[in-house]
Amino acid sequence: MNWSKHGIFAATFIFALLFAVLPSFAQETATHPWSDRTLSPDVRADLVLKEMTLDEKIDLIHGNGMPGWPEKKVRTNAYLGNGGAGFVLGVPRLGIPIIQMSDAAYGVRASGENGRYSTALPSNIASASSWDPQAACAYGTLIGRELRAQGFNMTLGGGTNLTRDPRNGRTFEYMGEDPILAGTLVGNRIKCEQAQHVIGDIKHYALNDQENGRNEVNVVISKRAMRESDLLAFQIGIEVGNPAAVMCSYNALNGEFACQNKYLLTEVLRKSWDYKGFVVSDWGGTHSTIKASAAGLDNEEPLDLYYGEAFKAAVESGKISMAELDTHVRRILRSEFLSGIIDYPVQKSVVDVEGGFEIARKMAEHSMVLLRNENKILPLDRAKLNSIAIIGPNADTGMISGGGSAQVDPPGRPNAGWQAHVWFPTSPLKTIRAMAPGVDVQFDSGANLSDAARAAKSADVAIVFVHQWTSEGMDLTSLSLPDNQDALIDQVASANPHTIVVLETGTAVTMPWLGKTAAVLEAWYAGSKGADAVGNILFGAVNPSAKLPMTFPRNENDLPHPKLVVPAAGDLGLAAIMRTGEAKPTFEVTYDEGLEVGYKWYDAEKKPVLFPFGFGLSYTTYAYSNLKVSSGKEVSVTFTVKNTGNRAGEETTEIYAALPAAAKEPPKRLVGFQKVHLNAGESTDVSVNLDPRFLSIYDEAKDTWELVPGTYSILVGGASENLPLGSKIDLH
Ligand code: BGC
């Protein structure tokens, strides 16, 4: 036998092997009764379900591992994954595809590991600062598109946990402290993401509002408080976005872990909100089979510890009925039809890099909040400047991003790794040099305070870029800028009163140096094109319009819980909660501030703040007038807003309500908002109908929303502490 004969033999053998193996994984393209797109997702799901074997059903309710996730089992099907956080087997003979999941908070994760590319959008807290549902939609569209280009058909984005404590390391992944703002924006993001034919997801349901001990904490809170705060954000997000999946969270709530919590998963989600999609556990958040299934968990991720063989055995022994298993499977199939992943199979393609840059830049321009602008130092007038000092660690090369499972990998670098501090190659120095030709732009890293002060002193203007890195899996111990950066700003601002501070942060920071500075721009984690957006704002090509979706407190002592409650040392993780064989939380966090989340807390406690919720400056000014409030089926609010300055701008108008005293609510709550574009001198009438629920309270005894009869004050203006218009209305 010569070599070529060997070759032919080997090739024949390999082909035969492939044919023996492949058909079982190749997706069936034949037409089935459920291929009829005119049928509803429910009907189509039922038609598929009738054809499925028990093993095929079990396949749908669990994951198959995640690269890097420790497990003893060797998974022979690991090659079917797409390098994402997990995958769920399909049913090839019935044309049901594999669900390929990827984290995608502000862009698609794990590009480095997989040799791909993803756009990093500004972080989610930044996107919330736009107060713009259309921008949220564009955000979702881009992520949905890039997921599909990379071979994924399910996103794990949609973070909606309210900012109860700004030290939460994942604050940058969420949409701020107000349920109506957060819910509306996340809903619009999900709606548009899912329109790209990916399974949308909203997470982490619910009350996973701190990272410390997140796997073992029991969160204690009253029913009323959660329905009016954190759960309301999810409720609105689900109504607006109709996500095909809800991810239950790690923590326990009022004594029971979220992924086996009947109140959360059945009473509220199914019965009260009529949610029809499926519930997926956070990674490692499943702690039982029978209990979790009965409570309403549909899919375990990323493993099959409870929803694999153990689930099958429970069905075979009659401990879980086939009907209960069918309910889980039906929900998953329904979501696959609803999102279109069956009708529009994923086709990999090349990510539109340029398109992504354009969107990332625009989003960043609309999400950076101008907090201070003394004597109108901004926008900078190039013609009047001879020199600029750019100061700050890495301000010559990049801008920081948020870590953990949200991390997007920057181009040209290897996989970022869990909790690496990742700087995106968007260089403030280069951008500002390019935008200010003829101006002498010098750089100092800020490593030596005297050098930095000297650089600042010798320039007309000093621009200091400072950062605060945060991530999943950690909380900040303080809201101060780390690494001596407060001292850096202090020194620079003492040397040059024309000091502009650009904050690259994932949450609020304290600002002991504020009074010395000329301007402060909150750029958040600004994404792939952050530096361009900063430059365009500083030099006035863009008029800033963003507003804070969370309060910046004066210091940690003003928080509802000045000291974070953390688990006992050494008492960490899943092992600790499973000590008795049954999942039990190891410590408690009591949210006794209840309804008083964010600005509602500072209002109620009469604590002055550094920068209030809803605050943000513009290069123009606006005047509010002519408020009319009338009640018909809904309360309708109309008013006029005028651009009284000399350049075009966008103003987010904010509507708050103060409920009658009998409601026992914090002083006021956001009940509506609308963003308007106005040319210089232009005015427009804004009209908003208020959702009756937003004026109601949650009555625990009756387990429903109730309007408290009495006199309501409607307040309108441009920030929670700047509400020039007010009117009263009696509601019954
Ligand atoms: C996070 C989720 C994430 C999942 C998969 C968990 O640790 O809490 O937000 O989607 O991992 O990476």
Side-chain angles (χ1 to χ4, degrees), residues 66 69 84-86 102-105 109 155-157 170 173-174 201 203-204 208 211 214-215 247-250 281-284 301-302 404-406 418 472-473:
M66 173 187 188
W69 189 279
S102 175
D103 282 304
R109 186 187 179 190
T155 173
L156 303 172
R170 298 188 90 170
E173 282 188 60
Y174 302 136
D201 166 58
K203 72 186 186 184
H204 309 87
N208 180 182
E211 286 296 284
R214 63 180 178 165
N215 294 99
M247 186 191 290
C248 50
S249 55
Y250 283 130
S281 75
D282 199 346
W283 268 227
E301 290 301 328
S405 63
W418 183 251
E472 177 181 346

Side-chain angles (χ1 to χ4, degrees), residues 442-518:
Q442 295 300 330
F443 168 70
D444 184 282
S445 74
N448 178 305
L449 298 191
S450 325
D451 289 352
R454 213 169 299 122
K457 204 174 182 109
S458 65
D460 293 339
V461 166
I463 310 177
V464 196
F465 289 82
V466 288
H467 67 276
Q468 161 220 56
W469 175 84
T470 58
S471 168
E472 177 181 346
M474 56 86 85
D475 297 310
L476 293 167
T477 47
S478 105
L479 294 175
S480 303
L481 285 168
D483 305 333
N484 217 19
Q485 293 178 98
D486 277 338
L488 172 66
I489 301 173
D490 196 273
Q491 293 280 309
V492 168
S494 302
N496 187 337
H498 299 140
T499 290
I500 298 156
V501 177
V502 179
L503 297 165
E504 301 167 37
T505 75
T507 182
V509 283
T510 50
M511 305 184 198
W513 33 259
L514 184 64
K516 289 187 177 175
T517 64

Side-chain angles (χ1 to χ4, degrees), residues 522-597:
E522 174 55 84
W524 307 110
Y525 300 149
S528 297
K529 282 284 159 188
D532 292 30
V534 169
N536 282 339
I537 289 176
L538 296 186
F539 290 110
V542 168
N543 186 358
S545 60
K547 293 184 174 181
L548 293 178
M550 60 182 291
T551 309
F552 278 34
R554 289 182 310 179
N555 56 54
E556 295 81 6
N557 291 334
D558 286 346
L559 297 173
H561 304 277
K563 222 174 133 32
L564 266 180
V565 183
V566 301
D571 206 14
L572 283 174
L574 293 175
I577 63 172
M578 294 306 282
R579 243 176 239 135
T580 62
E582 205 188 329
K584 297 229 169 53
T586 63
F587 76 110
E588 249 170 43
V589 169
T590 304
Y591 288 136
D592 48 12
E593 76 280 9
L595 298 167
E596 296 176 2
V597 185

